[in-house]
Amino acid sequence: MPELPEVETVRLGLIKLLVGHTVVSEVHDTPKGFPNSPNDVGQFLIGAKVTDVRRRAKVLLIDLDTDYTLVIHLKMTGQIVYRGADNFGAGHPNDSLIGRLPDKSTRVQLILNNNAVLYFNDQRKFGWMRLIPTIEVPNIDFMKKVGPEPLEDDFTPEVFIGRLQRRKNTTIKAAVLDQTVLAGIGNIYADESLWGAKIHPETRVKDVPQNMLKKLFTEIQYVLRLSIEKGGSTDRNYVNAEGKRGSYIDFARVFRKEGTPCPRHPDTKIIKIKVAARGTHICPKCQVLKTV
DNA sequence: CACTTGACCTGTCCGC
DNA sequence: TGCGGACAGGTCAAGT
């Protein structure tokens, strides 16, 4: 499930592979994958040159010289994969997690002037790709309400704690997953950072002491930075722009680790519970539920 | 307004 | 081997 580090990894790949190239044609299956009118696509995408690739929260933004932007949300199983004219990525084909493209999960294909193809694959069809005037991107509903970028300089412990106040009666896990509190955290990094801060995910926000919230702030930045360094987490579907897996999951302390020892307490096993309607992984020894 | 739950989808896994 | 059901989880809409 692509979260901030996964989308950032895709962005870093695409900025090298796409910028300066032109879209010469486009194929898509249903309006679900690419809900723009054929007129908009023909006018603002076909013939357009990619000028930049940006990210906000879990949203990928491919800027075009038509002053339009391809706005992409991968949701849970979306993939953006670049394939050269030989139908392989920039690396060795055996490095790729996925086979020949298109496959049955392919929703959109953008054919480029160098005969490479950018594929948007999405097994569960929750993701979407939309063409929006670049100047309008900050005005779409999601952008208006999404919280601060956790790795930007203006995100401080004070900002984090302040924004958590709007969710003080909910569980701390639901609060860090709330994109209006801060941007980019999903299920993997919520569990990883809460373990790092030794906070039980079902603790109400108002019951978490200030110093633990500060610790959580530090842990969120730590796991996100480490994951970007490792190319994100490939749990099931996620691949980068070259179709390759990320390796954060090898460094995970609790996520999908149920039944294995807690790194802090070899005598205690990680357990899986349900919090905020999500599978949630904790060490029952170092993450103790606190109520006031 | 705060908070929770269901819907959106399809592939995989588990028990029978 | 086949089959039904639970499960995976990002976001929005609708509910309390």
Side-chain angles (χ1 to χ4, degrees):
Chain A
M1 54 288 352
E3 306 178 28
L4 186 154
E6 289 73 33
V7 180
E8 180 64 12
T9 302
V10 172
R11 185 187 79 82
L12 292 169
L14 290 183
I15 205 154
K16 286 189 224 163
L17 295 165
L18 282 190
V19 172
H21 288 296
T22 302
V23 179
V24 298
S25 60
E26 176 269 346
V27 181
H28 68 270
D29 60 349
T30 66
K32 192 75 202 296
F34 199 163
N36 278 85
S37 73
N39 188 47
D40 281 355
V41 171
Q43 198 173 347
F44 302 109
L45 179 66
I46 306 306
K49 183 186 284 186
V50 175
T51 57
D52 199 4
V53 185
R54 296 178 292 141
R55 178 190 60 75
R56 177 75 171 101
K58 302 171 190 172
V59 178
L60 198 58
L61 304 165
I62 301 179
D63 290 328
L64 305 168
D65 67 355
T66 50
D67 293 330
Y68 268 64
T69 295
L70 263 180
V71 182
I72 304 169
H73 202 305
L74 301 175
K75 292 290 182 82
M76 256 97 75
T77 55
Q79 304 171 325
I80 292 287
V81 182
Y82 175 99
R83 284 285 169 91
D86 56 3
N87 201 14
F88 292 127
H92 190 277
N94 290 344
D95 293 340
S96 179
L97 186 64
I98 50 184
R100 262 191 114 66
L101 293 174
D103 63 22
K104 64 178 174 179
S105 76
T106 299
R107 317 247 80 85
V108 183
Q109 305 174 57
L110 304 184
I111 295 89
L112 306 175
N113 60 317
N114 61 350
N115 291 322
V117 181
L118 191 70
Y119 293 91
F120 171 38
N121 300 329
D122 188 12
Q123 179 187 105
R124 288 171 71 180
K125 302 181 183 179
F126 287 174
W128 46 262
M129 179 181 280
R130 207 170 288 159
L131 200 53
I132 294 177
T134 305
I135 200 167
E136 294 293 334
V137 170
N139 298 328
I140 63 180
D141 287 347
F142 178 85
M143 293 299 180
K144 280 195 288 193
K145 64 186 186 188
V146 71
E149 284 292 322
L151 298 180
E152 294 292 315
D153 291 342
D154 58 359
F155 186 65
T156 63
E158 292 70 33
V159 169
F160 177 52
I161 292 168
R163 296 186 73 87
L164 280 172
Q165 298 315 305
R166 70 175 70 188
R167 301 298 307 272
K168 58 184 180 348
N169 288 314
T170 193
T171 61
I172 186 69
K173 175 154 181 175
V176 301
L177 288 171
D178 183 343
Q179 299 299 297
T180 71
V181 171
L182 78 165
I185 306 290
N187 207 34
I188 298 173
Y189 305 106
D191 283 4
E192 289 290 296
S193 58
L194 286 166
W195 179 88
K198 303 184 187 175
I199 300 171
H200 191 291
E202 285 178 299
T203 314
R204 301 281 145 179
V205 173
K206 61 173 190 253
D207 295 335
V208 183
Q210 193 94 346
N211 65 320
M212 307 263 298
L213 291 178
K214 284 187 181 170
K215 175 71 172 161
L216 179 58
F217 170 90
T218 305
E219 290 298 321
I220 285 171
Q221 292 198 326
Y222 169 75
V223 295
L224 293 178
R225 287 198 177 110
L226 176 62
S227 185
I228 292 171
E229 187 185 313
K230 301 301 176 191
S233 301
T234 296
D235 180 36
R236 292 187 164 79
N237 289 270
Y238 167 73
V239 292
N240 69 15
E242 297 174 13
K244 298 176 189 169
R245 53 174 64 244
S247 68
Y248 176 85
I249 216 79
D250 298 337
F251 300 84
R253 288 84 48 96
V254 287
F255 190 79
R256 293 277 154 77
K257 294 280 187 183
E258 60 267 36
T260 70
C262 170
R264 291 195 191 101
H265 304 106
D267 58 326
T268 304
K269 287 179 176 171
I270 302 299
I271 60 169
K272 186 174 180 183
I273 59 177
K274 203 161 195 101
V275 184
R278 302 285 197 287
T280 298
H281 311 77
I282 63 166
C283 166
K285 192 160 175 179
C286 47
Q287 292 169 272
V288 178
L289 178 62
K290 291 204 175 110
T291 56
V292 172

